Amino acid sequence: MILPKSNRLTPEQLNAVTEIVTEFGCKIQPIIGAVRTIYAIVGDERDELMINRLEGLEYVDRIDRIQSPFKLMDIRSDLATHRIRAGGVTLGEELFVIAGVCTIDPKNPNYFYETAAAVKEAGAHMLRGGVWKPRTNPYTFQGDVKSLDILLEGAQRTGLPVDTEVMEEAHVTLALDAGVTALQVGARNALNYSLLRAIGRAIAERDTIVLLKRSMHMGSINEFISAAEYIAAFGNPNIILCPRGTAPTLDGYRNHPDESITPLLKEKTWAPVVVDPSHSVGKASYVPACALAAVAYGADGLCVEAHVSPNHGIGDDPKQSLLPAVLAETIRQAKQVWALRHLARKN
Ligand code: PEP
Ligand code: MN
């Protein structure tokens, strides 16, 4: 829909607009109002180049799109009935929990093994553990490929599927070859379209899951869903959206908590939403409330950092990891909130 700056387009302006849309196989249908005339684009209006050209006309105020820019992740797509299953849970049918350390310490693997057993006991369905880490400072610990074996050993010991972050194509290959179930795209790489494409290509023929974090710089909901579309375009739609807080921070929190975008996402996409309260608020004492808020907003699950001894952890663990007992209580309460929401929906 084309909204002109003035009340209607002049005949010359209408001609110019018609010429552009015709080039892209569309037509213009004026909708004449008492005060203002607007112009419907009839046809497939998803071509970005056509929209850019129309938006570039000085007499066009804005273009409102009727069609969704995402073909696969859209709530109206045929994939809307697609369900993702992991760790014995079908997302959307039961609260799904990913938990584990921020960063595996390759020098002290027992902390990871003990944490793995503890998060399973607390009720987690998937085990997280950072092998490669995106760090602000290049001199801090960047991860270690040796941790991949530790991660998979944790999977073996607990029977839980595992999630780990991949930052480059080589990590994707190593993680898939090792048997990682969920590839995490971190907030810093959620706008890295060549990585998103490489992941899409690598998992096209597999049932691998992608946990796609929201970039701290992603303002719009469409931008987030479009990032998922990049991966799904190759054929595997197992993508979970993970809000984890945005920039600028909310004074006192690590990021600006964004669990409240869950219902906005759910209006536009069928993709499950698993909120990460740990990176959102960034301090263990604030995490449980954020987790409960996420479920109240309609999240399908949670991704929570936990550690048997946070002070002995590396990466984010000393600040934001929950002790297993706190994780267990948070999951128990989150399930209650989940039940209330689903009861409310049925009535
Ligand atoms: C993490 O999960 O440990 C992490 C680095 O998260 P994010 O990409 O959201 O900062
Ligand atoms: Mn972390």
Side-chain angles (χ1 to χ4, degrees):
M1 194 70 74
I2 302 170
L3 288 85
K5 278 189 184 145
S6 57
N7 286 348
R8 66 190 59 82
L9 295 175
T10 66
E12 293 74 30
Q13 291 168 345
L14 182 56
N15 274 345
V17 162
T18 306
E19 210 170 288
I20 293 173
V21 302
T22 308
E23 205 183 304
F24 292 89
C26 297
K27 290 187 181 145
I28 287 291
Q29 175 67 56
I31 300 170
I32 301 164
V35 180
R36 198 171 183 205
T37 299
I38 57 176
Y39 301 83
I41 303 169
V42 183
D44 189 342
E45 57 169 25
R46 281 177 294 200
D47 197 303
E48 288 295 326
L49 183 56
M50 175 177 78
I51 301 294
N52 284 350
R53 285 213 201 144
L54 292 170
E55 280 177 343
L57 299 172
E58 63 189 7
Y59 42 85
V60 168
D61 181 23
R62 63 170 209 266
I63 311 287
D64 278 358
R65 298 194 204 203
I66 310 288
Q67 278 169 316
S68 163
F70 353 101
K71 294 180 186 162
L72 302 168
M73 301 311 294
D74 191 277
I75 188 114
R76 292 161 297 184
S77 113
D78 290 347
L79 282 169
T81 52
H82 179 69
R83 292 287 171 270
I84 299 176
R85 227 184 124 68
V89 169
T90 301
L91 275 81
E93 289 180 6
E94 199 183 315
L95 183 75
F96 176 65
V97 180
I98 306 172
V101 303
C102 170
T103 307
I104 296 174
D105 179 353
K107 294 205 182 95
N108 296 294
N110 280 338
Y111 283 122
F112 182 67
Y113 300 140
E114 284 168 26
T115 300
V119 302
K120 184 181 182 181
E121 178 72 22
H125 307 101
M126 183 178 271
L127 174 63
R128 61 156 286 157
V131 173
W132 301 283
K133 295 306 296 181
R135 304 301 297 276
T136 312
N137 186 320
Y139 304 113
T140 50
F141 180 68
Q142 305 284 309
D144 188 332
V145 69
K146 285 193 212 102
S147 299
L148 193 54
D149 292 337
I150 301 169
L151 179 69
L152 271 298
E153 173 68 22
Q156 191 107 66
R157 291 190 189 193
T158 55
L160 292 177
V162 286
D163 157 66
T164 202
E165 177 169 354
V166 287
M167 285 150 49
E168 51 194 74
E169 214 171 329
H171 299 165
V172 176
T173 312
L174 286 167
L176 292 179
D177 289 350
V180 168
T181 297
L183 302 179
Q184 183 172 312
V185 178
R188 290 154 192 81
N189 271 311
L191 290 167
N192 179 346
Y193 299 122
S194 47
L195 180 67
L196 299 180
R197 276 205 201 91
I199 291 174
R201 221 176 281 122
I203 66 166
E205 307 284 318
R206 297 171 174 258
D207 54 9
T208 308
I209 295 167
V210 175
L211 182 73
L212 176 64
K213 298 270 194 115
R214 182 184 187 197
S215 159
M216 59 282 255
H217 305 298
M218 266 178 193
S220 81
I221 302 292
N222 280 10
E223 212 178 349
F224 193 9
I225 303 173
S226 295
E229 185 84 13
Y230 263 94
I231 302 168
F234 287 88
N236 178 341
N238 286 338
I239 302 157
I240 299 172
L241 300 177
C242 181
R244 48 74 75 202
T246 52
T249 60
L250 185 62
D251 194 16
Y253 287 147
R254 178 173 178 178
N255 284 292
H256 194 111
D258 62 346
E259 65 282 352
S260 59
I261 69 160
T262 304
L264 306 179
L265 288 168
K266 288 193 166 286
E267 278 174 13
K268 293 194 170 192
T269 180
W270 54 264
V273 177
V274 166
V275 169
D276 171 351
S278 304
H279 293 84
S280 196
V281 296
K283 198 170 168 193
S285 57
Y286 305 139
V287 169
C290 182
L292 298 184
V295 180
Y297 271 114
D300 300 288
L302 299 166
C303 176
V304 186
E305 288 186 341
H307 197 289
V308 282
S309 180
N311 266 327
H312 289 102
I314 55 177
D316 296 325
D317 294 307
K319 279 194 207 152
Q320 64 194 35
S321 267
L322 298 186
L323 284 164
V326 181
L327 175 70
E329 180 58 17
T330 304
I331 295 175
R332 196 186 65 77
Q333 292 183 11
K335 282 185 174 168
Q336 289 183 339
V337 177
W338 168 278
L340 283 172
R341 260 194 71 88
H342 287 255
L343 194 68
R345 232 183 264 164
K346 272 185 212 145
N347 292 336

